[in-house]
Amino acid sequence: MSEAEAANRLMRLAREIARHNRLYHDRDEPEISDAEYDALVRENAELEARYPHLVRQDSPSAVVGAAPTTALAKVAHAKPMLSLENAFSKDEVREFVARVRRFLNLPEEEPVALTAEPKIDGLSCSLRLEGGGLVLAATRGDGTIGEDVTPNARTIGGIAQQLTGAPAVLEVRGEVYMSKADFAALNVRQEESGGKVFANPRNAAAGSLRQKDPAITAARPLRFLAHGWGELSEPLASTQGAAVDRLRSLGFPISDLFRRCEGVDEALAHYAAIEHARADLPFDIDGVVYKVDRLDWQERLGFVARAPRWALAHKFPAERAETTLERIEIQVGRTGKLTPVGRLTPVGVGGVIVSNVTLHNRDEIARLGLREGDRVRIQRAGDVIPQVVENLTRDEPREPYAFPGHCPQCGSEAVAEEGEVDVRCTGGLICPAQRIERLKHFVSRGAMDIDGLGEKTIEEFVALGWLHGPADIFRLAEHRAELLGREGWKEKSVDNLLAAVETKKGFDPARLLFGLGIRHVGIVTAKDLLKCFGTVEALQAAAAGEQGIAELSSVEGVGPVVAEAVHDFFHEPHNREQVADLLTLARPAAYVSQARNTEWTGKAVVFTGSLQTMSRDEAKAQAERLGARAAGSVSAKTDLVVAGPGAGSKLKKAEELGVRVIGEEEWARIVAEA
Ligand code: IVH
């Protein structure tokens, strides 16, 4: 991969991962499986490791898990929380046991006892007890660093607060989950109260546990099942089975379906029994977990990558059914992507009625030869959106489906970039499907950072017809009187909002340009473009012209893909009008390249704890102006840590590593003097 390709790929990954973060954390409506998400994050990390100078300001590695949960403190796990290797067939399970045998060099007659238990579809949680008392509860996070959910965990039934007879240090690990019935009832309540409706019990459990206010968690019906342990001051037993017995006798809930099996045949028989019981279980499971029973063997087997060699998840097969594809509809997403959705004659698949499937993209429809009216076989695996796996009537002579060449929402042309499967609407700011999302992006913290204009408010203003494009934000003052008459708005909140808008006049043009949401234009590219053109007007004039693409491609840091996207955006007359309007009202400053050469150039600074006199973003911007880089975590490469009150693990780590630590005032002095 060339460097330009890597930069391009990193840009796409940043966008994609940010979008999935929002879907998962903010909306609890994931579109991809955890494994697919992990693969994206891994790809990003690998590319960043190979090209450290291409690490983006909006890099997902700085954000993964962190961004959506800034409210929860991070904690390092004493022992990493691992994941499991997956198997989908009996053969793979037998191969797992054979591998264990080979690894341990066991004679043929030596039995390998296994434990087998349901794989609960919840979120893992580590409970640390010291002297029998709960001192810390943490989510898995990335396996090394999780989130502190101690007060929340205390509200969960079945989580012991004080035990007698426990080892001095006992970390119990297990799954926090919500029963199917509790989930259904919660959603009814949420709907009635206008709250968030959750996609499935797992997301409901995650959303309920990861709350800043433990009172909210307390009101949610969460449960816990223990399945393992982390740090221990003394061993629990010499086998997995006996250790689990010990946890049970200490008072931790253990699955009724936990079994010790003499060998692989017995384990597979137990798998069949669990699969049979699955539909009647009060909670969702997605497979069976096997573990080598002897703990001395577990010790010897150790880990590969992030999964133990001594455990295996035997997943249930995806469930399938046949039905009719009645209609193909096109949805237009935030970035203008046209996603085909199949409307089905509703059919039951593994206990769930399915009436919609994702058809992914134009190529997928062509590959399957799908047309409206076809009989199809669909599949539903875990919490992934159902999909079509086979077209059962593809030989019947009928016209193929014609994928639209225009956006069904705004009528603008819809095109696929070269080498891309996704077809996108080019309507940009005028496309209603993209409007709300684009406005949200425009006011977001990394862009114009306008306080008081949240998602709900934007939706409200769009519905009122006050906001069509970003320029209208600067006209909100015209609606002051009307707004004061609306429910939920008081003199003070209206004034605050209007003042927040006012302060963004004459603002940073790079953030304004980034805020326009042009494909592939992140904050770094926006700065690169302005470094060359000076103003958004000049950029627009150049980009929209005949030689636009060539001229843009010659900008340092801008490749052909970005150039084309910028050209396309400014070529569209509606976008030009909108931007001109916006510039008249917002009058951004001329761009001044802000990095200076100081003794801090190239240094890595970490901000931790709560800062009193400035926001995180501001602190980061200050570091950047000094030519330094604001990093997310402390390592031996960190040059300086700025710690505010409440600083925790990062501060500790800095002290351990002997990294210089200063307070906010001293930082302010450095900034002032540099
Ligand atoms: S054992 C080192 N047992 O599945 C072993 N995990 O896909 C790690 N899970 O992160 C966990 N039920 O959150 C184990 N009975 C069970 C489980 C289970 C659910 C989750 C766990 C883990 C994930 C791995």
Side-chain angles (χ1 to χ4, degrees):
M1 187 182 278
S2 75
E3 198 169 305
E5 282 164 344
N8 197 339
R9 183 67 192 146
L10 282 167
M11 172 167 57
R12 279 158 199 263
L13 285 166
R15 279 200 165 209
E16 185 114 326
I17 292 170
R19 190 172 75 85
H20 290 303
N21 280 344
R22 278 193 301 275
L23 286 169
Y24 187 97
H25 294 290
D26 299 349
R27 305 208 211 143
D28 288 310
E29 281 166 10
E31 277 178 11
I32 56 174
S33 67
D34 291 2
E36 287 168 307
Y37 175 83
D38 289 346
L40 292 176
V41 172
R42 211 173 317 119
E43 183 185 351
N44 186 74
E46 283 165 8
L47 273 177
E48 289 185 342
R50 218 170 333 141
Y51 302 98
H53 60 290
L54 295 183
V55 172
R56 299 168 59 82
Q57 191 168 351
D58 60 350
S59 161
S61 53
V63 187
V64 171
T69 58
T70 39
L72 295 170
K74 297 277 178 290
V75 273
H77 296 300
K79 293 249 166 114
M81 292 183 77
L82 301 160
S83 54
L84 291 167
E85 195 198 325
N86 290 328
F88 293 91
S89 69
K90 289 183 186 174
D91 282 351
E92 286 173 88
V93 178
R94 291 185 190 283
E95 173 51 30
F96 159 73
V97 178
R99 226 166 32 232
V100 166
R101 281 184 176 289
R102 282 198 299 275
F103 191 94
L104 297 172
N105 203 10
L106 298 179
E108 229 167 87
E109 65 284 0
E110 176 85 60
V112 176
L114 301 169
T115 61
E117 68 198 289
K119 185 169 188 308
I120 298 123
D121 206 1
L123 75 155
S124 45
C125 190
S126 184
L127 306 173
R128 185 178 175 93
L129 288 88
E130 290 177 7
L134 180 69
V135 294
L136 178 71
T139 63
R140 176 165 181 265
D142 63 4
T144 308
I145 300 202
E147 294 152 338
D148 184 344
V149 289
T150 315
N152 311 24
R154 288 189 200 281
T155 71
I156 301 176
I159 291 191
Q161 310 271 335
Q162 187 62 50
L163 298 179
T164 43
V169 174
L170 169 62
E171 272 185 15
V172 175
R173 288 177 176 174
E175 217 67 7
V176 170
Y177 68 98
M178 198 178 282
S179 77
K180 298 178 199 170
D182 285 342
F183 160 72
L186 172 66
N187 263 356
V188 169
R189 288 203 303 277
Q190 291 289 101
E191 197 150 2
E192 280 167 3
S193 65
K196 174 161 45 185
V197 173
F198 296 100
N200 54 46
R202 186 191 128 88
N203 287 313
S208 302
L209 182 64
R210 299 166 67 257
Q211 288 286 340
K212 202 180 174 195
D213 179 2
I216 299 180
T217 309
R220 303 276 174 83
L222 294 177
R223 295 161 201 259
F224 179 78
L225 275 177
H227 53 58
W229 55 89
E231 193 180 11
L232 298 171
S233 53
E234 61 193 76
L236 290 169
S238 61
T239 63
Q240 182 81 23
V244 165
D245 284 342
R246 175 92 196 278
L247 290 177
R248 188 191 284 114
S249 66
L250 281 169
F252 290 97
I254 304 290
S255 167
D256 293 339
L257 290 164
F258 180 91
R259 291 281 182 287
R260 183 178 176 283
C261 306
E262 288 304 333
V264 68
D265 291 326
E266 210 178 305
L268 289 170
H270 192 48
Y271 171 92
I274 292 177
E275 190 178 26
H276 184 72
R278 181 181 185 189
D280 298 324
L281 289 180
F283 48 82
D284 282 342
I285 64 174
D286 59 353
V288 172
V289 180
Y290 307 118
K291 295 168 194 165
V292 170
D293 191 40
R294 274 178 61 166
L295 298 182
D296 56 338
W297 285 356
Q298 288 191 7
E299 186 78 24
R300 282 170 58 197
L301 285 158
F303 310 93
V304 243
R306 300 167 58 116
R309 281 199 195 85
W310 44 264
L312 184 74
H314 187 177
K315 295 290 207 70
F316 295 132
E319 290 169 281
R320 295 183 170 195
E322 285 179 30
T323 185
T324 301
L325 175 62
E326 294 182 351
R327 263 172 305 119
I328 298 175
E329 287 177 8
I330 304 289
Q331 290 180 348
V332 187
R334 176 182 89 83
T335 58
K337 178 170 152 189
L338 270 54
T339 303
V341 176
R343 305 290 178 208
L344 307 171
T345 308
V347 61
V349 196
V352 175
I353 302 292
V354 172
S355 42
N356 302 310
V357 277
T358 170
L359 300 174
H360 299 290
N361 53 49
R362 187 174 61 181
D363 291 7
E364 179 72 0
I365 294 181
R367 184 180 74 79
L368 291 162
L370 291 174
R371 299 152 304 186
E372 294 184 334
D374 280 348
R375 282 297 284 177
V376 290
R377 177 166 291 130
I378 63 161
Q379 157 172 313
R380 190 182 72 95
D383 55 5
V384 184
I385 300 175
Q387 53 185 346
V388 175
V389 285
E390 196 183 343
N391 185 351
L392 303 166
T393 40
R394 68 181 304 168
D395 297 334
E396 212 174 89
R398 225 180 309 154
E399 281 294 297
Y401 174 76
F403 202 91
H406 288 88
C407 173
Q409 292 283 335
C410 71
S412 301
E413 225 186 315
V415 294
E417 275 176 30
E418 206 173 309
E420 280 232 358
V421 290
D422 292 333
V423 175
R424 280 170 205 277
C425 164
T426 56
L429 298 171
I430 65 139
C431 180
Q434 297 175 64
R435 189 175 299 152
I436 289 181
E437 296 301 335
R438 281 177 178 261
L439 285 166
K440 276 195 254 169
H441 172 69
F442 185 76
V443 304
S444 67
R445 288 180 58 197
M448 296 296 277
D449 191 18
I450 301 181
D451 272 348
L453 254 187
E455 179 165 348
K456 284 258 143 58
T457 309
I458 288 182
E459 280 167 13
E460 182 184 350
F461 292 176
V462 168
L464 286 165
W466 296 353
L467 291 184
H468 298 278
D472 297 323
I473 290 170
F474 293 93
R475 292 197 182 92
L476 282 174
E478 295 169 12
H479 301 286
R480 187 171 187 280
E482 264 171 289
L483 187 53
L484 275 170
R486 295 191 62 80
E487 206 185 303
W489 289 94
K490 298 216 165 57
E491 188 103 18
K492 189 161 176 333
S493 53
V494 171
D495 286 344
N496 285 347
L497 170 63
L498 296 177
V501 170
E502 196 61 25
T503 61
K504 297 301 149 108
K505 292 189 176 163
F507 195 56
D508 179 359
R511 306 232 307 206
L512 180 137
L513 177 59
F514 166 59
L516 293 177
I518 304 171
R519 271 199 98 214
H520 306 311
V521 179
I523 185 71
V524 176
T525 306
K527 287 181 182 172
D528 289 343
L529 286 166
L530 288 170
K531 238 178 257 171
C532 174
F533 293 99
T535 64
V536 180
E537 283 94 338
L539 166 68
Q540 164 157 329
E546 280 298 304
Q547 296 299 310
I549 296 183
E551 207 170 323
L552 292 163
S553 302
S554 66
V555 175
E556 171 103 24
V558 173
V561 176
V562 179
E564 194 174 330
V566 176
H567 167 78
D568 286 353
F569 180 88
F570 286 114
H571 195 70
E572 179 75 47
H574 304 289
N575 291 341
R576 277 209 303 276
E577 278 164 32
Q578 285 267 352
V579 173
D581 189 19
L582 173 65
L583 294 176
T584 319
L585 294 166
R587 303 207 163 280
Y591 185 71
V592 269
S593 177
Q594 292 175 320
R596 281 184 284 149
N597 243 340
T598 69
E599 58 166 331
W600 293 97
T601 304
K603 298 275 167 68
V605 182
V606 172
F607 295 94
T608 181
S610 58
L611 302 175
Q612 306 296 299
T613 62
M614 58 188 166
S615 70
R616 271 299 147 99
D617 278 0
E618 184 179 357
K620 285 186 178 173
Q622 290 176 344
E624 262 183 50
R625 280 201 294 277
L626 300 181
R629 188 166 52 82
S633 61
V634 176
S635 72
K637 292 197 195 114
T638 308
D639 297 290
L640 179 71
V641 169
V642 181
S649 59
K650 287 182 196 170
L651 176 58
K652 206 168 134 226
K653 184 137 184 222
E655 282 162 356
E656 280 164 18
L657 292 168
V659 174
R660 181 176 167 203
V661 178
I662 61 170
E664 218 174 319
E665 301 91 300
E666 199 174 338
W667 170 252
R669 235 183 346 264
I670 291 178
V671 172
E673 282 163 16

